[in-house]
Amino acid sequence: MPLIAPSLLASDFLHLADACKMVNESEADWFHLDVMDGRFVPNISYGIPVIEHIRKVARKPCDVHLMIEEPEKLTPAFKMAGADMLIVHLETCRNLHSNIQQIRSLGMKPAVAVNPHTPVELLKDILFDLHHVLIMTVNPGFGGQSFIPHSIEKVRELRKMIAKTGKEILIEVDGGITLENAASLVEAGADILVAGSSVFQAKDPARVIHLLKNS
Ligand code: DX5
Ligand code: ZN
Protein backbone atom coordinates (compact mmCIF):
# COMPACT_ATOMS: atom_id res chain seq x y z
CA MET A 1 0.00 0.00 0.00
CA PRO A 2 1.52 3.37 -0.98
CA LEU A 3 1.87 6.30 1.39
CA ILE A 4 -0.30 9.25 0.37
CA ALA A 5 0.96 12.82 0.72
CA PRO A 6 -1.66 15.43 -0.25
CA SER A 7 -0.12 18.67 -1.55
CA LEU A 8 -1.72 21.69 0.10
CA LEU A 9 -0.76 23.80 -2.92
CA ALA A 10 -4.09 22.83 -4.47
CA SER A 11 -6.14 23.63 -1.38
CA ASP A 12 -8.15 26.80 -0.74
CA PHE A 13 -5.63 29.10 0.98
CA LEU A 14 -8.42 31.07 2.62
CA HIS A 15 -9.38 27.88 4.42
CA LEU A 16 -6.05 26.19 5.09
CA ALA A 17 -7.19 25.06 8.53
CA ASP A 18 -10.03 23.07 6.94
CA ALA A 19 -7.60 21.45 4.49
CA CYS A 20 -5.30 20.45 7.37
CA LYS A 21 -8.24 19.03 9.30
CA MET A 22 -9.32 16.98 6.30
CA VAL A 23 -5.79 15.57 5.87
CA ASN A 24 -5.53 14.84 9.61
CA GLU A 25 -8.79 12.94 9.59
CA SER A 26 -8.17 11.11 6.31
CA GLU A 27 -6.08 8.04 5.52
CA ALA A 28 -3.28 10.29 4.25
CA ASP A 29 0.18 9.60 5.67
CA TRP A 30 2.08 12.86 5.24
CA PHE A 31 1.50 16.52 4.46
CA HIS A 32 3.35 17.61 1.29
CA LEU A 33 4.31 21.30 1.37
CA ASP A 34 5.61 22.99 -1.79
CA VAL A 35 7.93 25.97 -1.50
CA MET A 36 8.71 27.96 -4.68
CA ASP A 37 11.01 30.93 -5.04
CA GLY A 38 10.21 32.41 -8.46
CA ARG A 39 13.81 31.69 -9.53
CA PHE A 40 14.31 27.95 -9.76
CA VAL A 41 10.70 27.66 -10.84
CA PRO A 42 8.57 30.33 -12.52
CA ASN A 43 6.14 30.67 -9.62
CA ILE A 44 6.01 31.62 -5.94
CA SER A 45 3.93 29.61 -3.49
CA TYR A 46 4.22 30.07 0.27
CA GLY A 47 7.08 30.00 2.73
CA ILE A 48 8.31 29.62 6.28
CA PRO A 49 5.58 31.46 8.29
CA VAL A 50 2.82 29.50 6.57
CA ILE A 51 4.61 26.21 7.20
CA GLU A 52 5.03 27.13 10.87
CA HIS A 53 1.26 27.55 11.15
CA ILE A 54 0.49 24.34 9.26
CA ARG A 55 2.93 22.44 11.47
CA LYS A 56 1.08 23.51 14.60
CA VAL A 57 -2.10 21.77 13.48
CA ALA A 58 -0.68 18.93 11.35
CA ARG A 59 -0.83 15.61 13.14
CA LYS A 60 1.20 13.81 10.44
CA PRO A 61 4.80 14.24 9.25
CA CYS A 62 5.48 17.24 7.02
CA ASP A 63 7.36 16.57 3.79
CA VAL A 64 8.70 19.94 2.63
CA HIS A 65 9.57 20.19 -1.07
CA LEU A 66 11.99 23.04 -1.71
CA MET A 67 11.86 24.33 -5.28
CA ILE A 68 14.32 27.07 -4.43
CA GLU A 69 17.87 28.08 -5.34
CA GLU A 70 20.57 27.72 -2.65
CA PRO A 71 18.36 25.67 -0.31
CA GLU A 72 21.27 25.25 2.14
CA LYS A 73 20.89 28.88 3.21
CA LEU A 74 17.36 28.27 4.51
CA THR A 75 17.69 24.68 5.72
CA PRO A 76 17.90 25.65 9.45
CA ALA A 77 14.86 27.93 9.05
CA PHE A 78 12.78 25.08 7.64
CA LYS A 79 13.84 22.92 10.58
CA MET A 80 12.67 25.68 12.93
CA ALA A 81 9.38 25.86 11.02
CA GLY A 82 8.85 22.17 11.79
CA ALA A 83 9.80 20.26 8.62
CA ASP A 84 10.20 16.54 9.33
CA MET A 85 11.52 15.70 5.88
CA LEU A 86 13.28 18.12 3.57
CA ILE A 87 13.50 17.65 -0.19
CA VAL A 88 16.07 19.57 -2.22
CA HIS A 89 16.39 19.50 -5.99
CA LEU A 90 19.46 17.89 -7.53
CA GLU A 91 19.41 20.73 -10.08
CA THR A 92 19.85 23.40 -7.38
CA CYS A 93 22.66 21.85 -5.33
CA ARG A 94 26.29 22.24 -6.33
CA ASN A 95 27.35 20.49 -3.14
CA LEU A 96 24.54 18.02 -2.81
CA HIS A 97 26.34 15.66 -0.43
CA SER A 98 27.05 18.40 2.09
CA ASN A 99 23.48 19.71 1.79
CA ILE A 100 22.19 16.24 2.63
CA GLN A 101 24.56 16.01 5.62
CA GLN A 102 23.30 19.39 6.80
CA ILE A 103 19.64 18.28 6.61
CA ARG A 104 20.44 15.10 8.53
CA SER A 105 22.54 16.85 11.16
CA LEU A 106 19.60 19.14 11.89
CA GLY A 107 17.43 16.09 12.57
CA MET A 108 15.34 16.00 9.38
CA LYS A 109 15.05 13.14 6.89
CA PRO A 110 16.76 14.11 3.64
CA ALA A 111 15.38 13.60 0.15
CA VAL A 112 16.41 14.64 -3.34
CA ALA A 113 14.05 15.57 -6.17
CA VAL A 114 14.82 15.18 -9.86
CA ASN A 115 13.15 17.10 -12.67
CA PRO A 116 11.69 15.28 -15.70
CA HIS A 117 14.87 15.84 -17.75
CA THR A 118 17.28 14.64 -15.05
CA PRO A 119 18.35 10.99 -15.35
CA VAL A 120 18.01 8.92 -12.18
CA GLU A 121 21.56 7.58 -12.79
CA LEU A 122 22.84 10.89 -11.41
CA LEU A 123 21.63 9.78 -7.97
CA LYS A 124 23.94 6.77 -7.84
CA ASP A 125 26.52 8.23 -5.46
CA ILE A 126 24.08 9.93 -3.11
CA LEU A 127 21.31 7.35 -2.99
CA PHE A 128 22.38 5.51 0.17
CA ASP A 129 22.39 8.78 2.15
CA LEU A 130 18.73 9.48 1.40
CA HIS A 131 15.45 8.74 3.12
CA HIS A 132 13.58 9.12 -0.16
CA VAL A 133 13.88 10.26 -3.76
CA LEU A 134 11.21 12.42 -5.39
CA ILE A 135 10.71 11.85 -9.09
CA MET A 136 8.97 14.87 -10.58
CA THR A 137 6.28 13.61 -12.90
CA VAL A 138 5.56 17.13 -14.23
CA ASN A 139 7.83 20.17 -14.53
CA PRO A 140 7.94 21.80 -11.10
CA GLY A 141 6.21 25.12 -10.46
CA PHE A 142 2.49 24.56 -10.83
CA GLY A 143 -0.23 22.24 -9.68
CA GLY A 144 -2.79 20.83 -12.08
CA GLN A 145 -0.44 19.80 -14.91
CA SER A 146 -0.57 16.57 -16.91
CA PHE A 147 1.47 13.57 -15.84
CA ILE A 148 4.53 12.80 -18.03
CA PRO A 149 4.20 9.09 -18.94
CA HIS A 150 7.97 8.49 -19.28
CA SER A 151 8.20 8.96 -15.49
CA ILE A 152 7.04 5.37 -15.04
CA GLU A 153 10.26 4.12 -16.66
CA LYS A 154 12.28 6.34 -14.33
CA VAL A 155 10.54 4.84 -11.31
CA ARG A 156 11.33 1.32 -12.55
CA GLU A 157 14.97 2.19 -13.14
CA LEU A 158 15.36 3.84 -9.76
CA ARG A 159 13.72 0.87 -8.06
CA LYS A 160 16.46 -1.37 -9.54
CA MET A 161 19.19 1.02 -8.42
CA ILE A 162 17.78 1.06 -4.88
CA ALA A 163 17.60 -2.75 -4.80
CA LYS A 164 21.34 -2.85 -5.47
CA THR A 165 22.06 -0.68 -2.42
CA GLY A 166 20.27 -3.17 -0.15
CA LYS A 167 18.78 -0.20 1.73
CA GLU A 168 15.20 0.90 2.22
CA ILE A 169 15.00 4.13 0.26
CA LEU A 170 11.52 5.28 -0.66
CA ILE A 171 10.42 6.55 -4.06
CA GLU A 172 7.99 9.46 -4.15
CA VAL A 173 6.22 10.70 -7.28
CA ASP A 174 4.83 14.21 -7.61
CA GLY A 175 2.75 15.92 -10.27
CA GLY A 176 -0.38 14.98 -12.15
CA ILE A 177 -1.06 11.92 -9.99
CA THR A 178 -4.63 10.72 -10.43
CA LEU A 179 -6.74 7.66 -9.78
CA GLU A 180 -6.01 6.70 -13.40
CA ASN A 181 -2.19 6.57 -13.18
CA ALA A 182 -1.63 5.75 -9.49
CA ALA A 183 -1.75 1.97 -9.88
CA SER A 184 0.84 1.86 -12.67
CA LEU A 185 3.20 4.01 -10.59
CA VAL A 186 2.82 1.74 -7.58
CA GLU A 187 3.36 -1.28 -9.80
CA ALA A 188 6.57 0.32 -11.13
CA GLY A 189 7.83 0.79 -7.57
CA ALA A 190 6.54 4.10 -6.22
CA ASP A 191 6.10 4.15 -2.43
CA ILE A 192 4.69 7.65 -1.91
CA LEU A 193 2.07 9.36 -4.06
CA VAL A 194 1.84 13.16 -3.83
CA ALA A 195 -1.52 14.44 -5.01
CA GLY A 196 -2.73 18.02 -5.19
CA SER A 197 -5.52 18.73 -7.66
CA SER A 198 -6.88 15.21 -7.79
CA VAL A 199 -7.51 15.39 -4.03
CA PHE A 200 -8.47 19.01 -3.42
CA GLN A 201 -10.59 19.51 -6.52
CA ALA A 202 -12.63 16.42 -5.73
CA LYS A 203 -16.05 16.68 -4.15
CA ASP A 204 -14.93 14.20 -1.52
CA PRO A 205 -11.16 14.60 -0.97
CA ALA A 206 -10.98 11.99 1.80
CA ARG A 207 -12.55 9.42 -0.51
CA VAL A 208 -9.95 10.13 -3.24
CA ILE A 209 -7.21 9.70 -0.62
CA HIS A 210 -8.78 6.37 0.33
CA LEU A 211 -8.90 5.26 -3.30
CA LEU A 212 -5.29 6.37 -3.96
CA LYS A 213 -4.19 4.44 -0.88
CA ASN A 214 -5.80 1.32 -2.31
CA SER A 215 -4.37 1.70 -5.81
C1 DX5 B 1 4.53 20.96 -8.44
C2 DX5 B 1 4.49 20.54 -6.98
C3 DX5 B 1 3.48 19.51 -6.70
C4 DX5 B 1 2.06 19.94 -6.99
C5 DX5 B 1 1.31 18.73 -7.41
O1 DX5 B 1 5.62 21.76 -8.68
O2 DX5 B 1 5.74 20.01 -6.59
O3 DX5 B 1 3.59 18.98 -5.39
O4 DX5 B 1 1.44 20.55 -5.90
O5 DX5 B 1 0.06 19.15 -7.81
P1 DX5 B 1 -0.84 18.25 -8.77
O6 DX5 B 1 -1.13 16.97 -8.05
O7 DX5 B 1 -2.04 19.10 -8.97
O8 DX5 B 1 -0.07 18.02 -10.04
ZN1 ZN C 1 5.82 18.90 -4.58
Side-chain angles (χ1 to χ4, degrees):
M1 223 177 230
L3 301 177
I4 307 300
S7 162
L8 291 189
L9 189 65
S11 69
D12 177 352
F13 287 174
L14 277 179
H15 299 95
L16 258 184
D18 294 342
C20 292
K21 186 167 183 284
M22 184 282 292
V23 175
N24 279 336
E25 290 170 0
S26 75
E27 290 170 57
D29 299 274
W30 299 350
F31 281 77
H32 182 84
L33 306 175
D34 290 298
V35 180
M36 304 176 185
D37 66 353
R39 290 177 64 213
F40 174 57
V41 291
N43 196 10
I44 295 176
S45 55
Y46 51 78
I48 292 158
V50 173
I51 292 181
E52 265 170 16
H53 280 84
I54 293 171
R55 194 67 196 90
K56 283 184 197 141
V57 296
R59 297 203 306 262
K60 299 178 179 185
C62 289
D63 182 41
V64 177
H65 179 188
L66 297 185
M67 286 162 273
I68 65 174
E69 299 282 1
E70 300 180 294
E72 65 282 1
K73 291 193 176 159
L74 288 169
T75 295
F78 282 102
K79 170 66 186 173
M80 292 288 288
D84 300 283
M85 297 168 273
L86 201 64
I87 308 165
V88 293
H89 266 261
L90 179 80
E91 300 84 4
T92 62
C93 296
R94 296 170 79 182
N95 294 291
L96 183 59
H97 185 265
S98 71
N99 294 359
I100 295 303
Q101 302 299 104
Q102 178 197 31
I103 294 169
R104 219 179 253 291
S105 71
L106 287 166
M108 295 176 285
K109 291 176 178 162
V112 170
V114 286
N115 272 350
H117 71 275
T118 303
V120 290
E121 284 86 350
L122 293 183
L123 293 162
K124 183 173 157 281
D125 293 312
I126 194 72
L127 206 50
F128 36 84
D129 287 315
L130 304 178
H131 176 260
H132 60 288
V133 171
L134 188 161
I135 295 188
M136 285 305 304
T137 47
V138 298
N139 284 297
F142 301 92
Q145 303 180 78
S146 304
F147 175 77
I148 299 172
H150 174 67
S151 317
I152 295 183
E153 275 318 302
K154 291 178 79 173
V155 173
R156 257 189 242 290
E157 221 175 307
L158 180 61
R159 181 45 67 203
K160 283 189 207 145
M161 286 169 66
I162 292 173
K164 281 189 198 148
T165 69
K167 296 189 84 175
E168 260 195 52
I169 301 153
L170 304 175
I171 301 178
E172 179 172 38
V173 285
D174 182 9
I177 309 297
T178 63
L179 291 172
E180 284 69 47
N181 56 31
S184 47
L185 285 159
V186 173
E187 185 271 322
D191 303 291
I192 311 143
L193 306 177
V194 175
S197 316
S198 61
V199 166
F200 287 99
Q201 279 173 19
K203 275 208 189 86
D204 186 350
R207 167 111 187 116
V208 174
I209 291 170
H210 169 79
L211 293 172
L212 286 170
K213 186 98 194 141
N214 289 281
S215 50

